[in-house]
Amino acid sequence: MGLIHIELFATLDLVGQAPGSPDEDPVGFPFGGWQAPLLDEVSGAQVGAAYEGTDALLLGRRTYDIFAAYWPHQEGGEDNEIATLFNSVPKYVASRGRPDLSWAGSTQLGPDLAGAVREIRDRHEHVKVVGSLNLVQTLLREKLFDRLDLWVHPIVLGVGKKVFDGGAVPTNVTLLEPPVANPKGTVYLRYGLADGTPGTGDMSAPDRGAGRDD
C-alpha cells in the first residue's frame, strides 16, 4: 500500500486559500497570491524535495484546472524538474462536474471518493495532494492520508478558507522530522498519521509526587 501525502501552504491563522496567485480564487477573497512575497531559495528547495518519489497527483477540480493550464507549458524553463514530473505522472481529479481532462494522464474519480482514493493508494507508491482544500476536508474526515506537509507562513489574514475547516475528526499525528524555518519566517512541518485519537488529562490536578523526598 502506498502513501497519500497532503501538501499545504497556510498562513499563521491556517488560511490555505489561493496562495500562489490572485487568479486562483478571485471571487470574494482579497489576498490571492499571499505566499509570493514570502518565497525564497530555502522554501523553494523544501518544496522541490517534497515531490521526490511522487508517482501520482490527486487534485480537486480548481487546483487541477490551474495546474493543467500552467504545467504543460513549463518544461525546459525554470521549473523544468517539477513540470516534467507533473506532466509525466497520472493525475486523478475529484470533481462532481465535467472537467476538461486534456492534460495527458488525467482521470476523473467517481462519486465514491473515499473508495476511489483507497484504490489509488493501492495502485501507487506516493500520491501527492496539493492545495485542493475541499478535497482535503474529505481526506481528513476519512483519515485517508498518511503524511501532512504544512508550510506555515508568518502572516495573518483573518479571512479565507481554512486548512482545517470543519472536515477534520479527532486525529493523532506525529512529527516526522524537526521543523525547519526559512529566512523569511516560514516554518515547514511534516507530520505522519498516528494511531488512536487525542487523549485528555487534567492540568489542574496536583502532582502527587511533588515535594516528596522518597
Side-chain angles (χ1 to χ4, degrees):
M1 184 173 67
L3 299 175
I4 302 293
H5 192 162
I6 299 173
E7 181 178 5
L8 291 170
F9 306 105
T11 64
L12 195 59
D13 54 339
L14 293 183
V15 172
Q17 185 173 358
S21 166
D23 298 330
E24 285 186 29
D25 203 354
V27 179
F29 182 65
F31 295 108
W34 55 261
Q35 184 189 19
L38 299 169
L39 290 176
D40 56 27
E41 292 185 0
V42 174
S43 57
Q46 290 170 342
V47 172
Y51 288 114
E52 291 180 3
T54 298
D55 63 351
L57 294 175
L58 174 58
L59 306 170
R61 167 70 180 271
R62 186 181 297 275
T63 300
Y64 173 81
D65 287 345
I66 294 169
F67 279 20
Y70 180 79
W71 288 112
H73 312 291
Q74 302 308 311
E75 290 192 29
E78 182 178 350
D79 296 321
N80 176 70
E81 187 173 350
I82 293 180
T84 301
L85 172 66
F86 282 6
N87 291 329
S88 63
V89 301
K91 276 76 67 174
Y92 298 98
V93 188
S95 174
R96 295 186 181 92
R98 295 183 178 181
D100 176 3
L101 299 178
S102 57
W103 191 11
S106 299
T107 303
Q108 183 175 358
L109 300 181
D112 180 8
L113 181 59
V117 172
R118 292 186 178 94
E119 290 181 4
I120 292 170
R121 184 161 58 180
D122 288 338
R123 193 178 307 146
H124 296 281
E125 294 295 323
H126 193 156
V127 180
K128 181 73 75 171
V129 183
V130 186
S132 308
L133 288 180
N134 292 335
L135 168 61
V136 166
Q137 303 311 310
T138 299
L139 300 180
L140 294 174
R141 183 173 60 250
E142 299 288 340
K143 294 190 179 182
L144 276 174
F145 71 98
D146 302 283
R147 293 181 185 171
L148 172 62
D149 284 1
L150 191 61
W151 277 265
V152 181
H153 297 71
I155 54 172
V156 175
L157 297 182
V159 296
K161 298 177 183 178
K162 299 290 188 72
V163 171
F164 303 102
D165 195 16
V169 296
T171 304
N172 285 330
V173 296
T174 184
L175 191 65
L176 298 177
E177 57 191 56
V180 178
N182 70 23
K184 292 189 177 182
T186 299
V187 179
Y188 172 43
L189 301 161
R190 171 168 283 188
Y191 294 103
L193 181 65
D195 293 334
T197 55
T200 62
D202 187 353
M203 295 289 288
S204 65
D207 185 346
R208 296 177 180 177
R212 294 179 58 179
D213 295 327
D214 55 342

